[in-house]
Amino acid sequence: MSNATGGSTDGLRAKLSRLGPTWIAGAIAAGPASMAAVLGAGATFGYALLWVVVLSALLGATAQYLSMRLGLLTERGIVGAVEEHLGELWAWVLVIDTVLASGLAQIVIMKTVAEVSGTITGFDPRLWGVAWALALAVGLAGGGYRFLETGAKAIVSIVVLAFVATAFLVPIDPGAAAGGLVPTIPAGIDGALLAAGVLGGAVHITLITMQSYTMRARGWTRDDYDIGLFDVGTSMLVAFGVFSVATFLVAASVLAPELSPGGQLQASAAAASLGPLVGNFAETLFMLGLWAAAVSTLGANTVVPPYLLADKLGWETDVSDDRFRAAVVAVALLGGLGAFLGGNFFSLLTQMLTFGLIGTPFALAIVLYLLNDPEAVPETNPAIANVGGLIVFGIASVLAGSYVREQLRSGLGEPVPTFFVAFAIAIGAATVALVGKFVREARRSAAGVDAEADV
């Protein structure tokens, strides 16, 4: 019996040692943007949106499962697969969509890291921005994928532990929390927009597109399908799910509505509000968790634009290629400009999340298209995977459409929302065209099968 137990333990240890690709995606998901949305939902409406937080982990895991499946079955990067099976135009649309979303994220997340670092240490956040940009450039350009993966797993673990520990210190109402598992959207459009933000943090274009590249960097092939499933489950379903629920419970239990992102939330104010209620230790844990969430997202997000550009331009997608290394350094250093950006970073994070959500349905449509193309994959998607994918695609599309509708109602006087809406219309048209292309191809295929049957 002891031998069997030892073998089981060794097997689990071996599996855990091979985890990594989806943990990098999880490092982005368990970031300050998701944290801002979850804090806002809890502080504004109490426990009412707990069901959305739980659903976000399920939908996020579904999206990453589909991305994992596509990457392993094609054994290549997503941009290369798109170019081969759909054409160069569609590949460029995907690259532009993702690079814009991740580039904006890089700047805003760097502002977050710099300001939180400044709050903790008392030093000028602008100096922290420069220091973090240089450290990121040196670390990723020199250490490559292994540096990124090791950092992601370590820091995500810190984030999860910090917020779980904080949740144990706050006075949670179990009955009210259980009531929050019943689906309901409070306060009309305000509640719907907060729910959209929570879901948008888990289902995001950067997470979907980077999966194939991190798995290639790990050396995974079709034979690694089982470890891929385990990777998705432990990262998005467990680690990200626990982070989201713990953060939400803290906000719903002790944060006041005026401290929500919609009420000019400041990191120091939110942390300080915990002190009188549950002690300074909880305040410290909160700031540590926010800092770790921002750092983990910053490192993982840095490699997203270089991965897609390298694949499109025919470079190697690792630091052995000087062009790829230069692209990583450029993204890391350009992100440093975020430390000099004005405004409340929680508000900017919400805008960043919205922009990423706008581009996400197109990426999901690409993944589902290729997974159902017998020329692209050796085995097309099972029905249950298609159902899950269509649910995620539908929810993301409705949320993106809701943002555009509400923004048009409120007017487009400012340049940022005007750009967001223009981009949403353009990428929405591309998504509709892609869906139409798939429907036409499916009809032709069905007609061909019917003709052969008649013969």
Side-chain angles (χ1 to χ4, degrees):
M1 183 176 294
S2 60
N3 289 338
T5 303
S8 176
T9 302
D10 292 341
L12 178 60
R13 188 180 296 113
K15 274 190 173 183
L16 292 174
S17 69
R18 297 186 64 199
L19 295 178
T22 313
W23 281 77
I24 298 175
I28 296 179
S34 296
M35 183 177 169
V38 171
L39 284 173
T44 305
F45 299 116
Y47 297 100
L49 291 177
L50 178 56
W51 68 274
V52 177
V53 177
V54 175
L55 180 63
S56 72
L58 295 172
L59 295 181
T62 300
Q64 289 311 117
Y65 161 74
L66 293 170
S67 301
M68 177 274 294
R69 181 175 170 80
L70 179 63
L72 291 184
L73 291 179
T74 59
E75 294 188 351
R76 64 182 308 174
I78 188 172
V79 172
V82 170
E83 186 165 11
E84 179 180 352
H85 299 287
L86 294 177
E88 186 173 13
L89 175 62
W90 294 107
W92 272 119
V93 173
L94 181 62
V95 170
I96 293 170
D97 187 7
T98 308
V99 169
L100 283 175
S102 56
L104 174 63
Q106 189 73 10
I107 293 172
V108 177
I109 295 166
M110 179 61 84
K111 175 179 174 62
T112 305
V113 172
E115 292 199 9
V116 175
S117 298
T119 299
I120 293 173
T121 64
F123 290 113
D124 190 330
R126 292 170 295 183
L127 295 177
W128 272 113
V130 173
W132 275 113
L134 291 172
L136 204 59
V138 172
L140 291 176
Y145 174 80
R146 284 297 182 179
F147 174 83
L148 177 64
E149 181 187 293
T150 301
K153 286 193 284 190
I155 298 178
V156 168
S157 298
I158 292 173
V159 172
V160 174
L161 290 174
F163 284 104
V164 168
T166 306
F168 274 108
L169 294 172
V170 301
I172 296 171
D173 183 340
L181 294 173
V182 178
T184 181
I185 298 291
I189 188 61
D190 291 336
L193 289 176
L194 274 174
V198 172
L199 293 173
V203 183
H204 197 277
I205 186 170
T206 54
L207 313 182
I208 294 167
T209 53
M210 76 183 300
Q211 184 79 0
S212 59
Y213 301 103
T214 52
M215 290 191 303
R216 289 184 71 201
R218 223 5 175 125
W220 286 4
T221 66
R222 295 171 195 168
D223 295 334
D224 297 294
Y225 195 86
D226 288 344
I227 190 64
L229 284 175
F230 189 59
D231 196 46
V232 170
T234 55
S235 175
M236 288 302 297
L237 201 57
V238 177
F240 175 73
V242 169
F243 156 78
S244 299
V245 170
T247 305
F248 177 85
L249 292 176
V250 169
S253 300
V254 300
L255 293 187
E258 60 268 21
L259 291 176
S260 72
Q264 300 302 309
L265 172 66
Q266 297 288 344
S268 56
S273 70
L274 297 173
L277 294 169
V278 291
N280 291 331
F281 183 58
E283 178 182 343
T284 302
L285 280 174
F286 181 90
M287 290 301 294
L288 174 63
L290 174 58
W291 175 83
V295 171
S296 69
T297 304
L298 183 67
N301 188 77
T302 302
V303 300
V304 176
Y307 270 144
L308 273 76
L309 286 171
D311 195 11
K312 182 66 190 71
L313 299 175
W315 307 344
E316 293 296 323
T317 53
D318 60 64
V319 293
S320 64
D321 190 313
D322 290 339
R323 297 165 296 184
F324 179 82
R325 182 189 291 113
V328 170
V329 171
V331 173
L333 295 180
L334 287 173
L337 297 174
F340 300 88
L341 202 63
N344 181 344
F345 71 75
F346 267 121
S347 298
L348 292 173
L349 285 169
T350 302
Q351 294 182 40
M352 178 202 79
L353 207 58
T354 300
F355 188 78
L357 175 65
I358 288 170
T360 297
F362 178 76
L364 287 167
I366 285 283
V367 171
L368 287 170
Y369 190 121
L370 293 178
L371 283 174
N372 286 279
D373 182 356
E375 295 184 2
V377 292
E379 54 183 81
T380 55
N381 236 14
I384 186 65
N386 280 330
V387 169
L390 288 173
I391 290 173
V392 179
F393 173 78
I395 291 175
S397 299
V398 168
L399 293 177
S402 297
Y403 165 77
V404 173
R405 183 178 65 253
E406 292 304 316
Q407 196 62 65
L408 289 173
R409 284 179 180 174
S410 61
L412 298 174
E414 298 296 325
V416 171
T418 300
F419 172 70
F420 279 19
V421 169
F423 179 76
I425 293 172
I427 202 67
T431 305
V432 171
L434 182 65
V435 172
K437 176 179 172 63
F438 176 79
V439 171
R440 290 193 301 273
E441 293 295 329
R443 285 178 176 174
R444 287 177 191 153
S445 177
V449 170
D450 290 341
E452 289 181 4
D454 291 339
V455 172

